[in-house]
Amino acid sequence: ITDKTGELSALKVVTGKEDLIIINSDGVIIRIETSQISQLGRNTQGVTLMKIEEGGHIVSVAKAKKEEV
């Protein structure tokens, strides 16, 4: 965690067989397949999944059963 990357909002252990649901303080909800999230090595600074406006924050992060299409 650095000034550039900001604070950690949530941490979830996933297998790639589920979705993540992220909700921010502006009421924006996104659902992401965990298999679509880039896997990076230990020396990287993580992956941004949702951009947050100034003064906003993440309200909730939850794992969900993978959505069948």
Side-chain angles (χ1 to χ4, degrees):
I1 298 173
T2 65
D3 288 338
K4 177 185 170 194
T5 60
E7 297 179 7
L8 177 66
S9 297
L11 178 70
K12 299 285 183 188
V13 176
V14 296
T15 63
K17 298 178 182 177
E18 62 272 301
D19 292 350
L20 281 181
I21 299 174
I22 306 171
I23 305 171
N24 72 15
S25 57
D26 292 328
V28 176
I29 302 170
I30 61 170
R31 185 177 189 128
I32 303 170
E33 293 181 39
T34 56
S35 61
Q36 300 300 312
I37 299 171
S38 299
Q39 293 183 22
L40 301 174
R42 302 175 46 163
N43 295 328
T44 63
Q45 296 181 349
V47 177
T48 300
L49 300 178
M50 177 185 271
K51 298 226 184 236
I52 306 296
E53 296 293 325
E54 183 79 27
H57 60 277
I58 298 295
V59 174
S60 182
V61 176
K63 291 193 292 186
K65 234 180 186 181
K66 192 169 193 130
E67 193 171 76
E68 298 295 326
V69 182

